[in-house]
Structures are given as structure tokens and as C-alpha cells.
Short mmCIF file of all heavy atoms in Angstrom, two decimals:
data_model
loop_
_atom_site.label_atom_id
_atom_site.label_comp_id
_atom_site.label_asym_id
_atom_site.label_seq_id
_atom_site.Cartn_x
_atom_site.Cartn_y
_atom_site.Cartn_z
N MET A 1 -4.19 17.05 -7.15
CA MET A 1 -5.14 16.82 -6.17
C MET A 1 -4.51 16.02 -4.99
O MET A 1 -3.66 15.29 -5.21
CB MET A 1 -6.31 16.00 -6.76
CG MET A 1 -7.20 15.50 -5.71
SD MET A 1 -8.39 14.32 -6.13
CE MET A 1 -9.65 15.38 -6.70
N SER A 2 -4.96 16.43 -3.80
CA SER A 2 -4.42 15.79 -2.56
C SER A 2 -4.87 14.41 -2.54
O SER A 2 -6.05 14.05 -3.08
CB SER A 2 -4.87 16.54 -1.38
OG SER A 2 -4.40 17.80 -1.22
N LYS A 3 -4.20 13.49 -1.95
CA LYS A 3 -4.72 12.11 -1.76
C LYS A 3 -5.42 12.01 -0.49
O LYS A 3 -4.98 11.73 0.64
CB LYS A 3 -3.52 11.13 -1.74
CG LYS A 3 -2.85 11.15 -3.18
CD LYS A 3 -1.91 9.90 -3.20
CE LYS A 3 -1.42 9.79 -4.70
NZ LYS A 3 -0.63 8.67 -4.80
N LEU A 4 -6.78 12.47 -0.59
CA LEU A 4 -7.55 12.41 0.59
C LEU A 4 -8.00 11.07 1.12
O LEU A 4 -8.30 10.26 0.24
CB LEU A 4 -8.86 13.27 0.30
CG LEU A 4 -8.64 14.82 0.07
CD1 LEU A 4 -9.94 15.37 -0.43
CD2 LEU A 4 -8.17 15.47 1.22
N HIS A 5 -8.04 10.96 2.37
CA HIS A 5 -8.48 9.70 3.04
C HIS A 5 -9.59 10.08 4.10
O HIS A 5 -9.36 10.92 4.98
CB HIS A 5 -7.38 8.99 3.66
CG HIS A 5 -6.32 8.56 2.71
ND1 HIS A 5 -5.33 9.50 2.17
CD2 HIS A 5 -6.10 7.42 2.03
CE1 HIS A 5 -4.66 8.79 1.33
NE2 HIS A 5 -5.01 7.58 1.31
N LEU A 6 -10.59 9.30 4.13
CA LEU A 6 -11.69 9.50 5.20
C LEU A 6 -11.59 8.30 6.14
O LEU A 6 -11.54 7.17 5.66
CB LEU A 6 -13.02 9.47 4.50
CG LEU A 6 -14.29 9.56 5.34
CD1 LEU A 6 -14.33 10.74 6.21
CD2 LEU A 6 -15.52 9.37 4.60
N VAL A 7 -11.62 8.59 7.40
CA VAL A 7 -11.73 7.62 8.46
C VAL A 7 -13.06 7.73 9.21
O VAL A 7 -13.28 8.84 9.71
CB VAL A 7 -10.47 7.78 9.46
CG1 VAL A 7 -10.57 6.63 10.53
CG2 VAL A 7 -9.14 7.61 8.75
N PHE A 8 -13.79 6.65 9.23
CA PHE A 8 -14.98 6.60 10.03
C PHE A 8 -15.25 5.17 10.50
O PHE A 8 -14.62 4.27 10.16
CB PHE A 8 -16.25 7.05 9.13
CG PHE A 8 -16.58 6.15 8.03
CD1 PHE A 8 -17.62 5.15 8.16
CD2 PHE A 8 -16.00 6.29 6.76
CE1 PHE A 8 -17.99 4.39 7.19
CE2 PHE A 8 -16.37 5.39 5.80
CZ PHE A 8 -17.39 4.38 5.99
N GLY A 9 -16.28 5.09 11.37
CA GLY A 9 -16.60 3.81 11.99
C GLY A 9 -17.93 3.68 12.56
O GLY A 9 -18.60 4.78 12.72
N GLY A 10 -18.36 2.59 12.98
CA GLY A 10 -19.61 2.51 13.63
C GLY A 10 -19.94 0.97 13.86
O GLY A 10 -19.15 0.14 13.57
N ARG A 11 -21.08 0.73 14.44
CA ARG A 11 -21.46 -0.60 14.71
C ARG A 11 -21.94 -1.37 13.38
O ARG A 11 -22.66 -0.75 12.74
CB ARG A 11 -22.65 -0.56 15.80
CG ARG A 11 -22.98 -1.95 16.29
CD ARG A 11 -23.82 -1.80 17.57
NE ARG A 11 -23.18 -1.06 18.61
CZ ARG A 11 -22.10 -1.61 19.34
NH1 ARG A 11 -21.68 -2.83 19.23
NH2 ARG A 11 -21.47 -0.93 20.21
N VAL A 12 -21.39 -2.46 13.24
CA VAL A 12 -21.68 -3.40 11.98
C VAL A 12 -22.62 -4.52 12.42
O VAL A 12 -22.57 -4.98 13.58
CB VAL A 12 -20.44 -3.76 11.31
CG1 VAL A 12 -19.74 -2.66 10.58
CG2 VAL A 12 -19.55 -4.56 12.10
N LYS A 13 -23.39 -4.93 11.43
CA LYS A 13 -24.27 -6.21 11.72
C LYS A 13 -23.49 -7.41 11.77
O LYS A 13 -23.82 -8.36 12.54
CB LYS A 13 -25.33 -6.18 10.59
CG LYS A 13 -26.29 -5.10 10.58
CD LYS A 13 -27.25 -5.20 9.55
CE LYS A 13 -28.23 -3.90 9.56
NZ LYS A 13 -29.21 -3.91 8.47
N ASP A 14 -22.37 -7.50 10.93
CA ASP A 14 -21.55 -8.79 10.91
C ASP A 14 -20.13 -8.21 11.01
O ASP A 14 -19.72 -7.44 10.10
CB ASP A 14 -21.78 -9.38 9.62
CG ASP A 14 -20.80 -10.64 9.45
OD1 ASP A 14 -20.03 -10.88 10.41
OD2 ASP A 14 -20.94 -11.24 8.34
N PRO A 15 -19.31 -8.63 11.94
CA PRO A 15 -17.85 -8.11 12.06
C PRO A 15 -16.99 -8.36 10.82
O PRO A 15 -16.03 -7.63 10.58
CB PRO A 15 -17.32 -8.83 13.27
CG PRO A 15 -18.57 -9.26 14.07
CD PRO A 15 -19.65 -9.58 13.00
N GLN A 16 -17.43 -9.27 9.90
CA GLN A 16 -16.62 -9.47 8.75
C GLN A 16 -17.13 -8.71 7.46
O GLN A 16 -16.54 -8.80 6.50
CB GLN A 16 -16.70 -10.94 8.44
CG GLN A 16 -16.03 -11.87 9.52
CD GLN A 16 -16.04 -13.30 9.09
OE1 GLN A 16 -16.43 -13.80 8.05
NE2 GLN A 16 -15.46 -14.12 10.06
N GLY A 17 -18.22 -7.91 7.69
CA GLY A 17 -18.70 -7.13 6.71
C GLY A 17 -18.63 -5.63 6.95
O GLY A 17 -18.06 -5.25 7.98
N LEU A 18 -19.31 -4.92 6.01
CA LEU A 18 -19.23 -3.35 6.15
C LEU A 18 -20.68 -2.84 6.17
O LEU A 18 -21.02 -1.71 5.70
CB LEU A 18 -18.51 -2.85 4.95
CG LEU A 18 -17.04 -2.93 5.05
CD1 LEU A 18 -16.30 -2.55 3.73
CD2 LEU A 18 -16.37 -2.29 6.19
N ASP A 19 -21.62 -3.59 6.59
CA ASP A 19 -23.14 -3.17 6.62
C ASP A 19 -23.28 -2.64 8.03
O ASP A 19 -23.47 -3.20 9.09
CB ASP A 19 -23.99 -4.46 6.45
CG ASP A 19 -25.42 -4.00 6.29
OD1 ASP A 19 -25.66 -2.86 6.09
OD2 ASP A 19 -26.27 -4.95 6.32
N PHE A 20 -23.23 -1.22 8.09
CA PHE A 20 -23.42 -0.51 9.30
C PHE A 20 -24.85 -0.52 9.74
O PHE A 20 -25.71 -0.33 9.01
CB PHE A 20 -22.85 0.84 9.15
CG PHE A 20 -21.29 0.92 9.08
CD1 PHE A 20 -20.72 0.87 7.78
CD2 PHE A 20 -20.53 0.91 10.15
CE1 PHE A 20 -19.38 0.89 7.57
CE2 PHE A 20 -19.10 0.95 10.00
CZ PHE A 20 -18.58 0.97 8.70
N GLU A 21 -25.07 -0.74 11.08
CA GLU A 21 -26.39 -0.72 11.61
C GLU A 21 -27.17 0.59 11.58
O GLU A 21 -28.26 0.58 11.14
CB GLU A 21 -26.33 -1.25 13.08
CG GLU A 21 -26.11 -2.75 13.32
CD GLU A 21 -26.14 -3.06 14.73
OE1 GLU A 21 -26.54 -2.34 15.64
OE2 GLU A 21 -25.68 -4.30 14.99
N ASP A 22 -26.52 1.63 12.00
CA ASP A 22 -27.22 2.88 12.13
C ASP A 22 -26.35 4.06 11.55
O ASP A 22 -25.43 4.50 12.17
CB ASP A 22 -27.58 3.16 13.61
CG ASP A 22 -28.29 4.52 13.92
OD1 ASP A 22 -28.75 5.14 12.84
OD2 ASP A 22 -28.47 4.87 15.02
N LEU A 23 -26.67 4.45 10.28
CA LEU A 23 -25.85 5.45 9.69
C LEU A 23 -25.94 6.73 10.42
O LEU A 23 -25.00 7.54 10.21
CB LEU A 23 -26.30 5.64 8.19
CG LEU A 23 -26.08 4.33 7.33
CD1 LEU A 23 -26.61 4.58 5.99
CD2 LEU A 23 -24.62 3.89 7.28
N LYS A 24 -26.97 7.05 11.16
CA LYS A 24 -26.85 8.35 11.94
C LYS A 24 -25.95 8.25 13.22
O LYS A 24 -25.58 9.38 13.55
CB LYS A 24 -28.38 8.60 12.36
CG LYS A 24 -29.37 8.84 11.34
CD LYS A 24 -30.71 9.07 11.89
CE LYS A 24 -31.67 9.26 10.72
NZ LYS A 24 -33.11 9.48 11.14
N ALA A 25 -25.50 7.14 13.48
CA ALA A 25 -24.55 7.06 14.60
C ALA A 25 -23.08 6.82 14.22
O ALA A 25 -22.23 6.52 14.99
CB ALA A 25 -24.97 5.82 15.44
N ILE A 26 -22.80 7.02 12.93
CA ILE A 26 -21.54 6.89 12.43
C ILE A 26 -20.48 7.81 13.08
O ILE A 26 -20.86 8.96 13.19
CB ILE A 26 -21.37 7.08 10.82
CG1 ILE A 26 -22.23 5.90 10.12
CG2 ILE A 26 -19.96 7.11 10.31
CD1 ILE A 26 -21.56 4.59 10.19
N ASP A 27 -19.42 7.39 13.44
CA ASP A 27 -18.30 8.20 14.07
C ASP A 27 -17.36 8.61 13.04
O ASP A 27 -16.57 7.83 12.49
CB ASP A 27 -17.62 7.45 15.06
CG ASP A 27 -16.40 8.06 15.76
OD1 ASP A 27 -16.36 9.49 15.67
OD2 ASP A 27 -15.58 7.56 16.38
N PHE A 28 -17.51 9.94 12.57
CA PHE A 28 -16.61 10.49 11.50
C PHE A 28 -15.34 10.96 12.28
O PHE A 28 -15.33 11.97 12.81
CB PHE A 28 -17.29 11.58 10.75
CG PHE A 28 -18.38 11.16 9.75
CD1 PHE A 28 -19.69 11.14 10.15
CD2 PHE A 28 -18.05 10.60 8.59
CE1 PHE A 28 -20.68 10.67 9.40
CE2 PHE A 28 -19.02 9.98 7.77
CZ PHE A 28 -20.40 10.17 8.21
N VAL A 29 -14.19 10.21 12.05
CA VAL A 29 -13.00 10.56 12.73
C VAL A 29 -12.43 11.74 12.06
O VAL A 29 -11.85 12.72 12.62
CB VAL A 29 -12.02 9.38 12.71
CG1 VAL A 29 -10.74 9.71 13.37
CG2 VAL A 29 -12.66 8.20 13.44
N GLY A 30 -12.44 11.78 10.67
CA GLY A 30 -11.79 12.93 10.01
C GLY A 30 -11.24 12.62 8.48
O GLY A 30 -11.31 11.46 8.13
N LEU A 31 -10.86 13.63 7.97
CA LEU A 31 -10.31 13.64 6.55
C LEU A 31 -8.77 13.81 6.77
O LEU A 31 -8.35 14.68 7.53
CB LEU A 31 -10.81 14.75 5.69
CG LEU A 31 -12.15 14.48 5.08
CD1 LEU A 31 -12.66 15.87 4.34
CD2 LEU A 31 -12.11 13.41 4.09
N PHE A 32 -7.95 13.11 6.00
CA PHE A 32 -6.55 13.19 6.18
C PHE A 32 -5.87 13.29 4.82
O PHE A 32 -6.36 12.76 3.79
CB PHE A 32 -6.04 11.92 6.95
CG PHE A 32 -6.69 11.91 8.30
CD1 PHE A 32 -7.81 11.13 8.41
CD2 PHE A 32 -6.15 12.51 9.34
CE1 PHE A 32 -8.50 11.03 9.71
CE2 PHE A 32 -6.77 12.43 10.58
CZ PHE A 32 -7.90 11.73 10.77
N PRO A 33 -4.74 14.10 4.71
CA PRO A 33 -4.07 14.38 3.44
C PRO A 33 -3.12 13.22 2.95
O PRO A 33 -2.71 13.25 1.80
CB PRO A 33 -3.31 15.53 3.75
CG PRO A 33 -2.89 15.40 5.19
CD PRO A 33 -4.19 14.84 5.82
N ASP A 34 -2.94 12.18 3.77
CA ASP A 34 -2.06 11.09 3.36
C ASP A 34 -2.54 9.83 4.18
O ASP A 34 -3.17 9.92 5.10
CB ASP A 34 -0.60 11.43 3.63
CG ASP A 34 -0.32 11.80 5.01
OD1 ASP A 34 -0.56 10.94 5.88
OD2 ASP A 34 0.03 12.95 5.27
N TYR A 35 -2.11 8.77 3.65
CA TYR A 35 -2.49 7.40 4.22
C TYR A 35 -1.88 7.22 5.55
O TYR A 35 -2.47 6.61 6.51
CB TYR A 35 -2.05 6.20 3.29
CG TYR A 35 -2.56 4.91 3.86
CD1 TYR A 35 -3.87 4.61 3.77
CD2 TYR A 35 -1.65 4.07 4.45
CE1 TYR A 35 -4.20 3.33 4.21
CE2 TYR A 35 -2.10 2.89 4.97
CZ TYR A 35 -3.45 2.59 4.88
OH TYR A 35 -3.80 1.37 5.51
N ALA A 36 -0.63 7.65 5.81
CA ALA A 36 -0.07 7.41 7.04
C ALA A 36 -0.79 8.08 8.19
O ALA A 36 -0.96 7.50 9.28
CB ALA A 36 1.48 8.07 6.99
N SER A 37 -1.18 9.36 7.99
CA SER A 37 -2.08 9.97 9.04
C SER A 37 -3.36 9.39 9.21
O SER A 37 -3.96 9.31 10.34
CB SER A 37 -2.10 11.59 8.89
OG SER A 37 -2.75 11.86 7.61
N ALA A 38 -4.00 8.96 8.07
CA ALA A 38 -5.26 8.25 8.20
C ALA A 38 -5.12 7.00 8.83
O ALA A 38 -5.98 6.52 9.68
CB ALA A 38 -5.81 8.08 6.73
N GLU A 39 -4.05 6.23 8.57
CA GLU A 39 -3.86 4.96 9.25
C GLU A 39 -3.72 5.17 10.77
O GLU A 39 -4.16 4.36 11.59
CB GLU A 39 -2.71 4.18 8.66
CG GLU A 39 -2.50 2.89 9.31
CD GLU A 39 -1.31 2.15 8.84
OE1 GLU A 39 -0.30 2.93 8.43
OE2 GLU A 39 -1.17 0.88 8.94
N SER A 40 -3.03 6.17 11.17
CA SER A 40 -2.69 6.46 12.61
C SER A 40 -4.11 6.73 13.29
O SER A 40 -4.28 6.25 14.45
CB SER A 40 -1.75 7.65 12.73
OG SER A 40 -1.67 7.95 14.01
N ALA A 41 -4.91 7.55 12.64
CA ALA A 41 -6.24 7.86 13.24
C ALA A 41 -7.07 6.68 13.30
O ALA A 41 -7.83 6.37 14.27
CB ALA A 41 -6.85 8.96 12.41
N TRP A 42 -7.02 5.80 12.21
CA TRP A 42 -7.79 4.56 12.20
C TRP A 42 -7.41 3.60 13.36
O TRP A 42 -8.12 3.01 14.03
CB TRP A 42 -7.59 3.90 10.81
CG TRP A 42 -8.03 2.41 10.81
CD1 TRP A 42 -9.32 2.01 10.70
CD2 TRP A 42 -7.18 1.34 11.01
NE1 TRP A 42 -9.41 0.62 10.80
CE2 TRP A 42 -8.08 0.15 11.00
CE3 TRP A 42 -5.84 1.09 11.21
CZ2 TRP A 42 -7.53 -1.07 11.12
CZ3 TRP A 42 -5.37 -0.09 11.30
CH2 TRP A 42 -6.29 -1.28 11.29
N ARG A 43 -6.05 3.50 13.50
CA ARG A 43 -5.55 2.56 14.46
C ARG A 43 -6.01 3.09 15.86
O ARG A 43 -6.39 2.28 16.76
CB ARG A 43 -4.01 2.50 14.47
CG ARG A 43 -3.34 1.52 15.23
CD ARG A 43 -1.87 1.40 14.99
NE ARG A 43 -1.53 1.06 13.59
CZ ARG A 43 -1.76 -0.03 12.90
NH1 ARG A 43 -2.26 -1.05 13.50
NH2 ARG A 43 -1.35 -0.21 11.72
N SER A 44 -5.91 4.39 16.15
CA SER A 44 -6.23 4.94 17.49
C SER A 44 -7.66 4.64 17.66
O SER A 44 -8.08 4.27 18.84
CB SER A 44 -5.89 6.40 17.47
OG SER A 44 -6.45 6.97 18.64
N SER A 45 -8.62 4.96 16.78
CA SER A 45 -9.98 4.69 16.91
C SER A 45 -10.42 3.22 17.05
O SER A 45 -11.18 2.85 17.90
CB SER A 45 -10.83 5.21 15.74
OG SER A 45 -10.57 6.70 15.71
N SER A 46 -9.63 2.41 16.33
CA SER A 46 -9.96 0.88 16.47
C SER A 46 -9.53 0.37 17.76
O SER A 46 -10.11 -0.50 18.31
CB SER A 46 -9.27 0.23 15.25
OG SER A 46 -9.70 0.55 14.10
N GLN A 47 -8.40 0.85 18.24
CA GLN A 47 -7.86 0.32 19.58
C GLN A 47 -8.86 0.81 20.65
O GLN A 47 -8.90 -0.02 21.76
CB GLN A 47 -6.42 0.70 19.71
CG GLN A 47 -5.59 -0.07 18.80
CD GLN A 47 -4.05 0.45 18.94
OE1 GLN A 47 -3.69 1.40 19.48
NE2 GLN A 47 -3.17 -0.49 18.47
N ARG A 48 -9.47 1.88 20.65
CA ARG A 48 -10.31 2.36 21.65
C ARG A 48 -11.58 1.43 21.81
O ARG A 48 -12.11 1.25 22.89
CB ARG A 48 -10.81 3.79 21.46
CG ARG A 48 -9.86 4.82 21.88
CD ARG A 48 -10.50 6.19 21.95
NE ARG A 48 -11.40 6.53 20.84
CZ ARG A 48 -11.05 7.21 19.73
NH1 ARG A 48 -9.86 7.59 19.56
NH2 ARG A 48 -11.90 7.45 18.77
N SER A 49 -11.86 0.81 20.70
CA SER A 49 -13.07 -0.12 20.73
C SER A 49 -12.72 -1.57 20.52
O SER A 49 -13.45 -2.32 20.12
CB SER A 49 -14.08 0.31 19.62
OG SER A 49 -13.47 0.25 18.33
N ILE A 50 -11.47 -1.95 20.79
CA ILE A 50 -10.98 -3.37 20.50
C ILE A 50 -11.83 -4.40 21.13
O ILE A 50 -11.82 -5.53 20.72
CB ILE A 50 -9.47 -3.32 20.93
CG1 ILE A 50 -8.88 -4.56 20.13
CG2 ILE A 50 -9.29 -3.48 22.44
CD1 ILE A 50 -7.41 -4.49 20.12
N ASP A 51 -12.43 -4.15 22.31
CA ASP A 51 -13.15 -5.22 23.05
C ASP A 51 -14.57 -5.35 22.51
O ASP A 51 -15.33 -6.21 22.97
CB ASP A 51 -13.32 -4.86 24.52
CG ASP A 51 -11.84 -4.94 25.18
OD1 ASP A 51 -11.01 -5.77 24.62
OD2 ASP A 51 -11.56 -4.35 26.19
N ASP A 52 -15.04 -4.44 21.56
CA ASP A 52 -16.36 -4.57 20.97
C ASP A 52 -16.20 -4.94 19.51
O ASP A 52 -15.95 -4.26 18.61
CB ASP A 52 -17.03 -3.19 21.07
CG ASP A 52 -18.44 -3.18 20.66
OD1 ASP A 52 -18.82 -4.20 20.12
OD2 ASP A 52 -19.12 -2.08 20.73
N ALA A 53 -16.45 -6.29 19.29
CA ALA A 53 -16.38 -6.85 17.92
C ALA A 53 -17.25 -6.33 16.91
O ALA A 53 -16.99 -6.43 15.76
CB ALA A 53 -16.54 -8.41 18.05
N GLU A 54 -18.34 -5.73 17.38
CA GLU A 54 -19.28 -5.15 16.45
C GLU A 54 -18.89 -3.64 15.98
O GLU A 54 -19.63 -3.16 15.16
CB GLU A 54 -20.67 -5.21 16.88
CG GLU A 54 -21.12 -6.69 17.07
CD GLU A 54 -22.53 -6.76 17.66
OE1 GLU A 54 -22.95 -5.76 18.24
OE2 GLU A 54 -23.09 -7.88 17.47
N MET A 55 -17.88 -3.16 16.51
CA MET A 55 -17.47 -1.78 16.21
C MET A 55 -16.32 -1.85 15.13
O MET A 55 -15.44 -2.65 15.28
CB MET A 55 -16.92 -0.91 17.30
CG MET A 55 -18.00 -0.41 18.27
SD MET A 55 -19.08 0.74 17.45
CE MET A 55 -18.05 2.17 17.28
N LYS A 56 -16.51 -1.17 14.04
CA LYS A 56 -15.48 -1.27 12.89
C LYS A 56 -15.19 0.11 12.41
O LYS A 56 -16.15 0.90 12.20
CB LYS A 56 -15.98 -2.13 11.84
CG LYS A 56 -15.03 -2.33 10.67
CD LYS A 56 -15.58 -3.27 9.64
CE LYS A 56 -14.89 -4.61 9.81
NZ LYS A 56 -15.18 -5.50 8.72
N TYR A 57 -13.85 0.33 12.24
CA TYR A 57 -13.42 1.64 11.62
C TYR A 57 -12.76 1.31 10.36
O TYR A 57 -12.11 0.19 10.17
CB TYR A 57 -12.39 2.36 12.54
CG TYR A 57 -13.19 2.98 13.74
CD1 TYR A 57 -13.49 2.30 14.89
CD2 TYR A 57 -13.62 4.41 13.63
CE1 TYR A 57 -14.25 2.97 15.93
CE2 TYR A 57 -14.30 4.91 14.53
CZ TYR A 57 -14.45 4.23 15.77
OH TYR A 57 -15.35 4.88 16.69
N VAL A 58 -12.87 2.20 9.34
CA VAL A 58 -12.28 1.97 8.04
C VAL A 58 -11.64 3.18 7.52
O VAL A 58 -11.94 4.34 7.97
CB VAL A 58 -13.44 1.58 6.96
CG1 VAL A 58 -14.03 0.19 7.39
CG2 VAL A 58 -14.50 2.50 6.99
N VAL A 59 -10.62 3.02 6.55
CA VAL A 59 -10.10 4.10 5.88
C VAL A 59 -10.65 3.93 4.39
O VAL A 59 -10.48 3.00 3.75
CB VAL A 59 -8.54 3.98 5.87
CG1 VAL A 59 -7.97 5.11 4.98
CG2 VAL A 59 -8.01 3.94 7.22
N VAL A 60 -11.21 5.14 3.93
CA VAL A 60 -11.65 5.15 2.56
C VAL A 60 -10.62 6.02 1.83
O VAL A 60 -10.43 7.26 2.19
CB VAL A 60 -13.08 5.69 2.49
CG1 VAL A 60 -13.60 5.81 1.00
CG2 VAL A 60 -14.03 4.88 3.32
N HIS A 61 -10.19 5.56 0.72
CA HIS A 61 -9.21 6.35 -0.28
C HIS A 61 -10.19 7.28 -1.15
O HIS A 61 -10.57 6.81 -2.24
CB HIS A 61 -8.37 5.36 -1.03
CG HIS A 61 -7.60 4.50 -0.21
ND1 HIS A 61 -6.31 4.81 0.07
CD2 HIS A 61 -7.90 3.27 0.35
CE1 HIS A 61 -5.77 3.77 0.90
NE2 HIS A 61 -6.73 2.85 1.01
N LEU A 62 -10.53 8.45 -0.64
CA LEU A 62 -11.37 9.32 -1.52
C LEU A 62 -10.81 9.68 -2.74
O LEU A 62 -11.45 9.82 -3.82
CB LEU A 62 -11.71 10.44 -0.59
CG LEU A 62 -12.64 10.36 0.62
CD1 LEU A 62 -12.92 11.61 1.28
CD2 LEU A 62 -13.90 9.63 0.21
N HIS A 63 -9.50 9.86 -2.94
CA HIS A 63 -8.81 10.19 -4.11
C HIS A 63 -9.13 9.16 -5.33
O HIS A 63 -9.18 9.55 -6.33
CB HIS A 63 -7.40 10.48 -3.94
CG HIS A 63 -6.58 9.31 -3.43
ND1 HIS A 63 -6.52 9.01 -2.09
CD2 HIS A 63 -5.88 8.42 -4.07
CE1 HIS A 63 -5.72 7.91 -1.97
NE2 HIS A 63 -5.30 7.48 -3.10
N ARG A 64 -9.22 7.93 -4.84
CA ARG A 64 -9.46 6.80 -5.84
C ARG A 64 -10.89 6.87 -6.33
O ARG A 64 -11.09 6.63 -7.46
CB ARG A 64 -9.23 5.55 -5.15
CG ARG A 64 -7.79 5.22 -4.97
CD ARG A 64 -7.55 3.83 -4.41
NE ARG A 64 -6.12 3.62 -4.05
CZ ARG A 64 -5.65 2.63 -3.38
NH1 ARG A 64 -6.67 1.71 -2.88
NH2 ARG A 64 -4.42 2.50 -3.07
N LEU A 65 -11.88 7.40 -5.40
CA LEU A 65 -13.16 7.55 -5.88
C LEU A 65 -13.47 8.79 -6.84
O LEU A 65 -14.22 8.80 -7.72
CB LEU A 65 -14.21 7.67 -4.66
CG LEU A 65 -14.22 6.52 -3.80
CD1 LEU A 65 -15.08 6.84 -2.53
CD2 LEU A 65 -14.82 5.31 -4.55
N LEU A 66 -12.65 9.82 -6.51
CA LEU A 66 -12.75 11.06 -7.29
C LEU A 66 -12.08 10.95 -8.67
O LEU A 66 -12.44 11.72 -9.61
CB LEU A 66 -12.15 12.22 -6.49
CG LEU A 66 -12.96 12.63 -5.18
CD1 LEU A 66 -12.19 13.59 -4.30
CD2 LEU A 66 -14.37 13.00 -5.55
N GLU A 67 -10.91 10.28 -8.71
CA GLU A 67 -10.18 10.06 -9.94
C GLU A 67 -9.77 8.62 -10.11
O GLU A 67 -8.68 8.18 -10.01
CB GLU A 67 -8.95 10.96 -9.95
CG GLU A 67 -9.24 12.43 -9.95
CD GLU A 67 -8.01 13.29 -9.96
OE1 GLU A 67 -6.81 12.73 -9.61
OE2 GLU A 67 -8.08 14.48 -10.44
N PRO A 68 -10.78 7.76 -10.48
CA PRO A 68 -10.56 6.36 -10.57
C PRO A 68 -9.48 5.91 -11.69
O PRO A 68 -8.97 4.93 -11.62
CB PRO A 68 -11.93 5.79 -10.86
CG PRO A 68 -12.77 6.82 -11.33
CD PRO A 68 -12.08 8.12 -10.79
N GLU A 69 -9.28 6.79 -12.67
CA GLU A 69 -8.42 6.45 -13.81
C GLU A 69 -6.98 6.44 -13.41
O GLU A 69 -6.10 6.07 -14.02
CB GLU A 69 -8.63 7.32 -14.94
CG GLU A 69 -8.35 8.80 -14.75
CD GLU A 69 -9.44 9.54 -14.16
OE1 GLU A 69 -10.44 9.11 -13.86
OE2 GLU A 69 -9.07 10.80 -13.81
N LEU A 70 -6.68 7.10 -12.17
CA LEU A 70 -5.26 7.25 -11.67
C LEU A 70 -4.88 5.96 -11.09
O LEU A 70 -4.67 5.35 -10.42
CB LEU A 70 -5.11 8.47 -10.95
CG LEU A 70 -5.30 9.78 -11.55
CD1 LEU A 70 -5.05 10.98 -10.56
CD2 LEU A 70 -4.34 9.94 -12.85
#
């Protein structure tokens, strides 16, 4: 199985948390086959919104959710 990574972001209620305000407004950046490309996309998206403390982008390791025993 590929090591899939999902990158997405949106406005959060608290900049230190992951409670997104509006799930319909989530910005899905994309799915990536490796961490390096996911991190690059995350960094690019995060830097575009660097002046907005309530915007947060994250990388989700989907392969860990699909096969947690690995």
C-alpha cells in the first residue's frame, strides 16, 4: 500500500487546536504518495495564510489510519 498523506486546512476556533469552524469551507489541498511531497504542499498552503492566525493546515497520515498495526 502507498503511504498516502492528506493535506487540508481551514479556519480554526483556537489556533492551538484542531477544531475547525466550518467543515464546508475546508480547503482540501490534495492526496500525496509520500511525506516529502505532502510537507511541501502543506508548507506552501501554510505560508500563503501566514498572517491569519486562525487558518491552519495539517498533514494526515492516511496510511496509519488504514493500517494502524504497521
Side-chain angles (χ1 to χ4, degrees):
M1 171 189 273
S2 297
K3 292 194 172 185
L4 294 174
H5 298 81
L6 170 65
V7 179
F8 69 92
R11 188 163 301 285
V12 291
K13 294 178 181 177
D14 176 5
Q16 295 182 4
L18 289 172
D19 190 11
F20 290 93
E21 285 184 8
D22 183 5
L23 295 180
K24 293 179 182 176
I26 293 290
D27 176 19
F28 289 99
V29 178
L31 282 173
F32 301 89
D34 54 62
Y35 183 76
S37 58
E39 181 184 27
S40 177
W42 164 82
R43 189 172 308 284
S44 174
S45 296
S46 294
Q47 287 178 345
R48 277 197 315 269
S49 63
I50 198 163
D51 292 331
D52 186 351
E54 293 177 343
M55 283 297 289
K56 181 178 257 187
Y57 284 85
V58 295
V59 176
V60 178
H61 302 266
L62 291 180
H63 60 279
R64 291 183 183 167
L65 296 174
L66 296 172
E67 294 183 337
E69 66 278 355
L70 296 179

